[in-house]
Amino acid sequence: MGNGVCSRRQRRIFQCLLLVTVVCGVMYGGMMSYEMHKQLKRTEAMALKYQQHQESLSAQLQVYEHRSRLEKSLQKERLEHKKAKEYLVYKLEAQQSLNKEKNQHEDLKRQYYDLHEQHQVQGKDHSRLLDEHKERYDKLQEAKEIEVSQL
């Protein structure tokens, strides 16, 4: 009987120890599960935070890329505007030069016609004077011949 009591007692102690071990194991498992669940929630929150940060950076990058494209487009427009302005200045200078040359041409043409007209007038005057001198010369020659013949 002593053996049986001891054995029952040992069994009871063993059962209590086993029960305490199982309870501790369940509690430990529950705590681990709770801690892991907490860690999972923190990790999910951090992942969400990083995802939102990534989306924010992506949006900022899109804005930056859009701004960069706009700046390139603006530079291109400025360059085209500058070229167009230079072309207009060149065209205006060419037009002014052409007008100046045209005016010079008109002045030279007018001077040519004036000189041509003066030349014709002087040519007629010269012919008239030549005719008058010839006539005078002929009269003088005739008068001299008459005088010589009278002598």
PDB file of all heavy atoms in Angstrom, residues 84-109:
ATOM      1  N   ALA A  84      12.889  83.134 -84.110  1.00  0.00           N
ATOM      2  CA  ALA A  84      11.885  83.880 -84.876  1.00  0.00           C
ATOM      3  C   ALA A  84      12.158  85.379 -84.778  1.00  0.00           C
ATOM      4  O   ALA A  84      12.052  86.101 -85.774  1.00  0.00           O
ATOM      5  CB  ALA A  84      10.478  83.567 -84.352  1.00  0.00           C
ATOM      6  N   LYS A  85      12.533  85.834 -83.589  1.00  0.00           N
ATOM      7  CA  LYS A  85      12.835  87.253 -83.400  1.00  0.00           C
ATOM      8  C   LYS A  85      14.054  87.650 -84.222  1.00  0.00           C
ATOM      9  O   LYS A  85      14.050  88.686 -84.890  1.00  0.00           O
ATOM     10  CB  LYS A  85      13.085  87.520 -81.911  1.00  0.00           C
ATOM     11  CG  LYS A  85      13.159  88.972 -81.546  1.00  0.00           C
ATOM     12  CD  LYS A  85      13.286  89.129 -80.037  1.00  0.00           C
ATOM     13  CE  LYS A  85      13.364  90.584 -79.643  1.00  0.00           C
ATOM     14  NZ  LYS A  85      13.491  90.734 -78.194  1.00  0.00           N
ATOM     15  N   GLU A  86      15.100  86.791 -84.186  1.00  0.00           N
ATOM     16  CA  GLU A  86      16.298  87.067 -84.987  1.00  0.00           C
ATOM     17  C   GLU A  86      15.953  87.090 -86.465  1.00  0.00           C
ATOM     18  O   GLU A  86      16.459  87.930 -87.212  1.00  0.00           O
ATOM     19  CB  GLU A  86      17.369  86.005 -84.712  1.00  0.00           C
ATOM     20  CG  GLU A  86      18.024  86.132 -83.354  1.00  0.00           C
ATOM     21  CD  GLU A  86      18.962  84.976 -83.041  1.00  0.00           C
ATOM     22  OE1 GLU A  86      19.029  84.005 -83.844  1.00  0.00           O
ATOM     23  OE2 GLU A  86      19.624  85.027 -81.989  1.00  0.00           O
ATOM     24  N   TYR A  87      15.076  86.172 -86.890  1.00  0.00           N
ATOM     25  CA  TYR A  87      14.656  86.150 -88.297  1.00  0.00           C
ATOM     26  C   TYR A  87      13.919  87.431 -88.650  1.00  0.00           C
ATOM     27  O   TYR A  87      14.145  88.008 -89.721  1.00  0.00           O
ATOM     28  CB  TYR A  87      13.786  84.926 -88.571  1.00  0.00           C
ATOM     29  CG  TYR A  87      13.210  84.924 -89.960  1.00  0.00           C
ATOM     30  CD1 TYR A  87      14.011  84.655 -91.062  1.00  0.00           C
ATOM     31  CD2 TYR A  87      11.864  85.219 -90.178  1.00  0.00           C
ATOM     32  CE1 TYR A  87      13.498  84.671 -92.338  1.00  0.00           C
ATOM     33  CE2 TYR A  87      11.348  85.241 -91.454  1.00  0.00           C
ATOM     34  CZ  TYR A  87      12.158  84.967 -92.530  1.00  0.00           C
ATOM     35  OH  TYR A  87      11.644  84.978 -93.796  1.00  0.00           O
ATOM     36  N   LEU A  88      13.023  87.870 -87.743  1.00  0.00           N
ATOM     37  CA  LEU A  88      12.283  89.103 -88.010  1.00  0.00           C
ATOM     38  C   LEU A  88      13.223  90.307 -88.080  1.00  0.00           C
ATOM     39  O   LEU A  88      13.051  91.181 -88.930  1.00  0.00           O
ATOM     40  CB  LEU A  88      11.210  89.331 -86.938  1.00  0.00           C
ATOM     41  CG  LEU A  88       9.998  88.408 -87.016  1.00  0.00           C
ATOM     42  CD1 LEU A  88       9.060  88.663 -85.838  1.00  0.00           C
ATOM     43  CD2 LEU A  88       9.247  88.587 -88.327  1.00  0.00           C
ATOM     44  N   VAL A  89      14.215  90.341 -87.183  1.00  0.00           N
ATOM     45  CA  VAL A  89      15.200  91.436 -87.219  1.00  0.00           C
ATOM     46  C   VAL A  89      15.969  91.373 -88.534  1.00  0.00           C
ATOM     47  O   VAL A  89      16.165  92.401 -89.199  1.00  0.00           O
ATOM     48  CB  VAL A  89      16.160  91.344 -86.002  1.00  0.00           C
ATOM     49  CG1 VAL A  89      17.349  92.257 -86.182  1.00  0.00           C
ATOM     50  CG2 VAL A  89      15.409  91.684 -84.722  1.00  0.00           C
ATOM     51  N   TYR A  90      16.394  90.158 -88.918  1.00  0.00           N
ATOM     52  CA  TYR A  90      17.117  89.989 -90.185  1.00  0.00           C
ATOM     53  C   TYR A  90      16.243  90.421 -91.359  1.00  0.00           C
ATOM     54  O   TYR A  90      16.697  91.135 -92.254  1.00  0.00           O
ATOM     55  CB  TYR A  90      17.540  88.524 -90.347  1.00  0.00           C
ATOM     56  CG  TYR A  90      18.011  88.187 -91.724  1.00  0.00           C
ATOM     57  CD1 TYR A  90      19.275  88.577 -92.157  1.00  0.00           C
ATOM     58  CD2 TYR A  90      17.192  87.495 -92.613  1.00  0.00           C
ATOM     59  CE1 TYR A  90      19.705  88.282 -93.440  1.00  0.00           C
ATOM     60  CE2 TYR A  90      17.613  87.192 -93.892  1.00  0.00           C
ATOM     61  CZ  TYR A  90      18.876  87.583 -94.301  1.00  0.00           C
ATOM     62  OH  TYR A  90      19.303  87.293 -95.568  1.00  0.00           O
ATOM     63  N   LYS A  91      14.976  90.005 -91.316  1.00  0.00           N
ATOM     64  CA  LYS A  91      14.054  90.351 -92.397  1.00  0.00           C
ATOM     65  C   LYS A  91      13.840  91.867 -92.460  1.00  0.00           C
ATOM     66  O   LYS A  91      13.833  92.448 -93.551  1.00  0.00           O
ATOM     67  CB  LYS A  91      12.716  89.640 -92.164  1.00  0.00           C
ATOM     68  CG  LYS A  91      11.736  89.766 -93.296  1.00  0.00           C
ATOM     69  CD  LYS A  91      10.480  88.968 -93.012  1.00  0.00           C
ATOM     70  CE  LYS A  91       9.446  89.181 -94.078  1.00  0.00           C
ATOM     71  NZ  LYS A  91       8.207  88.465 -93.797  1.00  0.00           N
ATOM     72  N   LEU A  92      13.695  92.505 -91.281  1.00  0.00           N
ATOM     73  CA  LEU A  92      13.503  93.951 -91.234  1.00  0.00           C
ATOM     74  C   LEU A  92      14.739  94.668 -91.772  1.00  0.00           C
ATOM     75  O   LEU A  92      14.617  95.601 -92.575  1.00  0.00           O
ATOM     76  CB  LEU A  92      13.216  94.396 -89.801  1.00  0.00           C
ATOM     77  CG  LEU A  92      13.000  95.891 -89.583  1.00  0.00           C
ATOM     78  CD1 LEU A  92      11.762  96.365 -90.342  1.00  0.00           C
ATOM     79  CD2 LEU A  92      12.850  96.205 -88.112  1.00  0.00           C
ATOM     80  N   GLU A  93      15.927  94.209 -91.349  1.00  0.00           N
ATOM     81  CA  GLU A  93      17.161  94.826 -91.846  1.00  0.00           C
ATOM     82  C   GLU A  93      17.298  94.630 -93.350  1.00  0.00           C
ATOM     83  O   GLU A  93      17.708  95.554 -94.069  1.00  0.00           O
ATOM     84  CB  GLU A  93      18.370  94.233 -91.115  1.00  0.00           C
ATOM     85  CG  GLU A  93      18.489  94.694 -89.677  1.00  0.00           C
ATOM     86  CD  GLU A  93      19.605  93.984 -88.921  1.00  0.00           C
ATOM     87  OE1 GLU A  93      20.190  93.020 -89.475  1.00  0.00           O
ATOM     88  OE2 GLU A  93      19.887  94.390 -87.779  1.00  0.00           O
ATOM     89  N   ALA A  94      16.950  93.440 -93.834  1.00  0.00           N
ATOM     90  CA  ALA A  94      17.022  93.177 -95.271  1.00  0.00           C
ATOM     91  C   ALA A  94      16.041  94.071 -96.017  1.00  0.00           C
ATOM     92  O   ALA A  94      16.370  94.620 -97.080  1.00  0.00           O
ATOM     93  CB  ALA A  94      16.723  91.703 -95.548  1.00  0.00           C
ATOM     94  N   GLN A  95      14.837  94.241 -95.462  1.00  0.00           N
ATOM     95  CA  GLN A  95      13.833  95.101 -96.094  1.00  0.00           C
ATOM     96  C   GLN A  95      14.314  96.550 -96.117  1.00  0.00           C
ATOM     97  O   GLN A  95      14.175  97.238 -97.125  1.00  0.00           O
ATOM     98  CB  GLN A  95      12.500  94.989 -95.333  1.00  0.00           C
ATOM     99  CG  GLN A  95      11.350  95.731 -95.991  1.00  0.00           C
ATOM    100  CD  GLN A  95      10.965  95.111 -97.323  1.00  0.00           C
ATOM    101  OE1 GLN A  95      10.974  93.907 -97.482  1.00  0.00           O
ATOM    102  NE2 GLN A  95      10.613  95.945 -98.276  1.00  0.00           N
ATOM    103  N   GLN A  96      14.915  96.996 -94.993  1.00  0.00           N
ATOM    104  CA  GLN A  96      15.432  98.365 -94.940  1.00  0.00           C
ATOM    105  C   GLN A  96      16.571  98.548 -95.941  1.00  0.00           C
ATOM    106  O   GLN A  96      16.632  99.565 -96.633  1.00  0.00           O
ATOM    107  CB  GLN A  96      15.920  98.685 -93.520  1.00  0.00           C
ATOM    108  CG  GLN A  96      14.804  98.869 -92.529  1.00  0.00           C
ATOM    109  CD  GLN A  96      15.308  99.037 -91.106  1.00  0.00           C
ATOM    110  OE1 GLN A  96      16.443  98.704 -90.799  1.00  0.00           O
ATOM    111  NE2 GLN A  96      14.446  99.534 -90.223  1.00  0.00           N
ATOM    112  N   SER A  97      17.444  97.545 -96.018  1.00  0.00           N
ATOM    113  CA  SER A  97      18.548  97.606 -96.976  1.00  0.00           C
ATOM    114  C   SER A  97      18.015  97.634 -98.402  1.00  0.00           C
ATOM    115  O   SER A  97      18.491  98.409 -99.245  1.00  0.00           O
ATOM    116  CB  SER A  97      19.466  96.399 -96.773  1.00  0.00           C
ATOM    117  OG  SER A  97      20.469  96.373 -97.738  1.00  0.00           O
ATOM    118  N   LEU A  98      17.014  96.805 -98.661  1.00  0.00           N
ATOM    119  CA  LEU A  98      16.411  96.776 -99.998  1.00  0.00           C
ATOM    120  C   LEU A  98      15.763  98.116-100.324  1.00  0.00           C
ATOM    121  O   LEU A  98      15.937  98.637-101.436  1.00  0.00           O
ATOM    122  CB  LEU A  98      15.371  95.648-100.070  1.00  0.00           C
ATOM    123  CG  LEU A  98      14.665  95.455-101.404  1.00  0.00           C
ATOM    124  CD1 LEU A  98      15.674  95.015-102.463  1.00  0.00           C
ATOM    125  CD2 LEU A  98      13.560  94.419-101.265  1.00  0.00           C
ATOM    126  N   ASN A  99      15.035  98.680 -99.358  1.00  0.00           N
ATOM    127  CA  ASN A  99      14.398  99.986 -99.579  1.00  0.00           C
ATOM    128  C   ASN A  99      15.452 101.066 -99.827  1.00  0.00           C
ATOM    129  O   ASN A  99      15.276 101.927-100.689  1.00  0.00           O
ATOM    130  CB  ASN A  99      13.535 100.375 -98.376  1.00  0.00           C
ATOM    131  CG  ASN A  99      12.269  99.559 -98.295  1.00  0.00           C
ATOM    132  OD1 ASN A  99      11.856  98.924 -99.273  1.00  0.00           O
ATOM    133  ND2 ASN A  99      11.657  99.531 -97.136  1.00  0.00           N
ATOM    134  N   LYS A 100      16.558 100.995 -99.055  1.00  0.00           N
ATOM    135  CA  LYS A 100      17.633 101.973 -99.236  1.00  0.00           C
ATOM    136  C   LYS A 100      18.235 101.843-100.629  1.00  0.00           C
ATOM    137  O   LYS A 100      18.433 102.849-101.332  1.00  0.00           O
ATOM    138  CB  LYS A 100      18.702 101.741 -98.169  1.00  0.00           C
ATOM    139  CG  LYS A 100      19.828 102.736 -98.189  1.00  0.00           C
ATOM    140  CD  LYS A 100      20.819 102.447 -97.067  1.00  0.00           C
ATOM    141  CE  LYS A 100      21.993 103.389 -97.129  1.00  0.00           C
ATOM    142  NZ  LYS A 100      22.981 103.082 -96.079  1.00  0.00           N
ATOM    143  N   GLU A 101      18.493 100.603-101.041  1.00  0.00           N
ATOM    144  CA  GLU A 101      19.056 100.391-102.374  1.00  0.00           C
ATOM    145  C   GLU A 101      18.071 100.811-103.456  1.00  0.00           C
ATOM    146  O   GLU A 101      18.456 101.392-104.476  1.00  0.00           O
ATOM    147  CB  GLU A 101      19.444  98.920-102.545  1.00  0.00           C
ATOM    148  CG  GLU A 101      20.671  98.534-101.747  1.00  0.00           C
ATOM    149  CD  GLU A 101      21.010  97.057-101.862  1.00  0.00           C
ATOM    150  OE1 GLU A 101      20.409  96.361-102.715  1.00  0.00           O
ATOM    151  OE2 GLU A 101      21.876  96.608-101.103  1.00  0.00           O
ATOM    152  N   LYS A 102      16.784 100.546-103.215  1.00  0.00           N
ATOM    153  CA  LYS A 102      15.758 100.949-104.190  1.00  0.00           C
ATOM    154  C   LYS A 102      15.724 102.469-104.309  1.00  0.00           C
ATOM    155  O   LYS A 102      15.636 103.021-105.415  1.00  0.00           O
ATOM    156  CB  LYS A 102      14.412 100.409-103.736  1.00  0.00           C
ATOM    157  CG  LYS A 102      13.300 100.565-104.734  1.00  0.00           C
ATOM    158  CD  LYS A 102      12.021  99.940-104.214  1.00  0.00           C
ATOM    159  CE  LYS A 102      10.898 100.169-105.188  1.00  0.00           C
ATOM    160  NZ  LYS A 102       9.625  99.643-104.696  1.00  0.00           N
ATOM    161  N   ASN A 103      15.787 103.133-103.122  1.00  0.00           N
ATOM    162  CA  ASN A 103      15.783 104.595-103.139  1.00  0.00           C
ATOM    163  C   ASN A 103      17.027 105.129-103.848  1.00  0.00           C
ATOM    164  O   ASN A 103      16.938 106.093-104.618  1.00  0.00           O
ATOM    165  CB  ASN A 103      15.709 105.146-101.708  1.00  0.00           C
ATOM    166  CG  ASN A 103      14.349 104.933-101.087  1.00  0.00           C
ATOM    167  OD1 ASN A 103      13.364 104.699-101.781  1.00  0.00           O
ATOM    168  ND2 ASN A 103      14.298 104.982 -99.765  1.00  0.00           N
ATOM    169  N   GLN A 104      18.176 104.506-103.568  1.00  0.00           N
ATOM    170  CA  GLN A 104      19.402 104.918-104.253  1.00  0.00           C
ATOM    171  C   GLN A 104      19.266 104.699-105.754  1.00  0.00           C
ATOM    172  O   GLN A 104      19.688 105.544-106.556  1.00  0.00           O
ATOM    173  CB  GLN A 104      20.605 104.122-103.715  1.00  0.00           C
ATOM    174  CG  GLN A 104      21.059 104.538-102.342  1.00  0.00           C
ATOM    175  CD  GLN A 104      22.199 103.667-101.833  1.00  0.00           C
ATOM    176  OE1 GLN A 104      22.434 102.579-102.341  1.00  0.00           O
ATOM    177  NE2 GLN A 104      22.887 104.149-100.808  1.00  0.00           N
ATOM    178  N   HIS A 105      18.665 103.569-106.112  1.00  0.00           N
ATOM    179  CA  HIS A 105      18.459 103.286-107.537  1.00  0.00           C
ATOM    180  C   HIS A 105      17.565 104.340-108.167  1.00  0.00           C
ATOM    181  O   HIS A 105      17.859 104.840-109.274  1.00  0.00           O
ATOM    182  CB  HIS A 105      17.855 101.893-107.704  1.00  0.00           C
ATOM    183  CG  HIS A 105      17.547 101.550-109.116  1.00  0.00           C
ATOM    184  ND1 HIS A 105      18.515 101.252-110.048  1.00  0.00           N
ATOM    185  CD2 HIS A 105      16.357 101.468-109.785  1.00  0.00           C
ATOM    186  CE1 HIS A 105      17.949 101.000-111.209  1.00  0.00           C
ATOM    187  NE2 HIS A 105      16.644 101.121-111.079  1.00  0.00           N
ATOM    188  N   GLU A 106      16.490 104.689-107.477  1.00  0.00           N
ATOM    189  CA  GLU A 106      15.573 105.714-107.991  1.00  0.00           C
ATOM    190  C   GLU A 106      16.303 107.062-108.115  1.00  0.00           C
ATOM    191  O   GLU A 106      16.123 107.772-109.106  1.00  0.00           O
ATOM    192  CB  GLU A 106      14.345 105.851-107.073  1.00  0.00           C
ATOM    193  CG  GLU A 106      13.412 104.656-107.105  1.00  0.00           C
ATOM    194  CD  GLU A 106      12.781 104.421-108.463  1.00  0.00           C
ATOM    195  OE1 GLU A 106      12.446 105.405-109.148  1.00  0.00           O
ATOM    196  OE2 GLU A 106      12.636 103.242-108.849  1.00  0.00           O
ATOM    197  N   ASP A 107      17.119 107.395-107.099  1.00  0.00           N
ATOM    198  CA  ASP A 107      17.885 108.657-107.156  1.00  0.00           C
ATOM    199  C   ASP A 107      18.847 108.653-108.338  1.00  0.00           C
ATOM    200  O   ASP A 107      18.952 109.646-109.085  1.00  0.00           O
ATOM    201  CB  ASP A 107      18.665 108.882-105.850  1.00  0.00           C
ATOM    202  CG  ASP A 107      17.755 109.230-104.678  1.00  0.00           C
ATOM    203  OD1 ASP A 107      16.584 109.583-104.926  1.00  0.00           O
ATOM    204  OD2 ASP A 107      18.230 109.136-103.532  1.00  0.00           O
ATOM    205  N   LEU A 108      19.559 107.538-108.498  1.00  0.00           N
ATOM    206  CA  LEU A 108      20.501 107.444-109.623  1.00  0.00           C
ATOM    207  C   LEU A 108      19.774 107.508-110.964  1.00  0.00           C
ATOM    208  O   LEU A 108      20.252 108.131-111.914  1.00  0.00           O
ATOM    209  CB  LEU A 108      21.315 106.147-109.524  1.00  0.00           C
ATOM    210  CG  LEU A 108      22.365 106.115-108.419  1.00  0.00           C
ATOM    211  CD1 LEU A 108      22.989 104.726-108.350  1.00  0.00           C
ATOM    212  CD2 LEU A 108      23.440 107.165-108.664  1.00  0.00           C
ATOM    213  N   LYS A 109      18.629 106.876-111.028  1.00  0.00           N
ATOM    214  CA  LYS A 109      17.829 106.900-112.259  1.00  0.00           C
ATOM    215  C   LYS A 109      17.406 108.336-112.577  1.00  0.00           C
ATOM    216  O   LYS A 109      17.517 108.792-113.722  1.00  0.00           O
ATOM    217  CB  LYS A 109      16.605 106.002-112.053  1.00  0.00           C
ATOM    218  CG  LYS A 109      15.899 105.564-113.293  1.00  0.00           C
ATOM    219  CD  LYS A 109      14.829 104.555-112.872  1.00  0.00           C
ATOM    220  CE  LYS A 109      13.947 104.173-114.009  1.00  0.00           C
ATOM    221  NZ  LYS A 109      12.899 103.240-113.589  1.00  0.00           N
TER     222      LYS A 109
END
